[in-house]
Amino acid sequence: DTATFRDRLHGWTCAQFDAGIVPNPTHVIVGSDEDEQQARLKLLLSGPERPTALMAANDHYALDALRLCRTLGLRVPQDISLIGFDDVAYS
C-alpha cells in the first residue's frame, strides 16, 4: 500500500513492456506478510524459471533476498543480480 512501492512496481512493469517483455506476474511478490514473501521468493529462486535478477522494493528487502540467495547457494552477482532502493548505510 506504499505509494513509492507502487511507483517502483509501475516503473518495472513499464520497462518490461518497453523492452518487449511481457511481465510474469509470478515474478512479482507483494504483501504484508514477510514470512509468506520469503516462502514465495524461495520457491521462485529454487524453481526451473529462476530469474536472472531481483529488484527489491527497498534495501531492507534486498538484504533479506541476499540472505536467502546465500542460503540457497546463489552468489550475487555471479548467479543472480540484485538491486534495492534507498541507499541505506549497510547497502
Side-chain angles (χ1 to χ4, degrees):
D1 293 328
T2 305
T4 55
F5 288 5
R6 284 193 309 268
D7 291 344
R8 291 167 187 175
L9 177 59
H10 178 74
W12 173 83
T13 303
C14 289
Q16 295 283 299
F17 280 120
D18 288 349
I21 300 168
V22 177
N24 183 338
T26 64
H27 288 177
V28 178
I29 300 172
V30 296
S32 58
D33 184 341
E34 288 192 37
D35 290 335
E36 181 183 335
Q37 290 175 15
Q38 284 289 317
R40 290 182 58 204
L41 182 57
K42 184 176 182 179
L43 251 170
L44 179 64
L45 294 177
S46 302
E49 293 187 35
R50 178 173 56 85
T52 59
L54 297 175
M55 183 183 83
N58 63 27
D59 287 340
H60 170 78
Y61 291 138
L63 183 60
D64 287 345
L66 177 62
R67 287 183 186 125
L68 181 58
C69 286
R70 287 183 177 166
T71 299
L72 296 173
L74 297 172
R75 300 167 302 154
V76 175
Q78 295 89 340
D79 301 320
I80 190 164
S81 299
L82 176 61
I83 189 170
F85 284 91
D86 298 329
D87 285 334
V88 296
Y90 65 80
S91 66

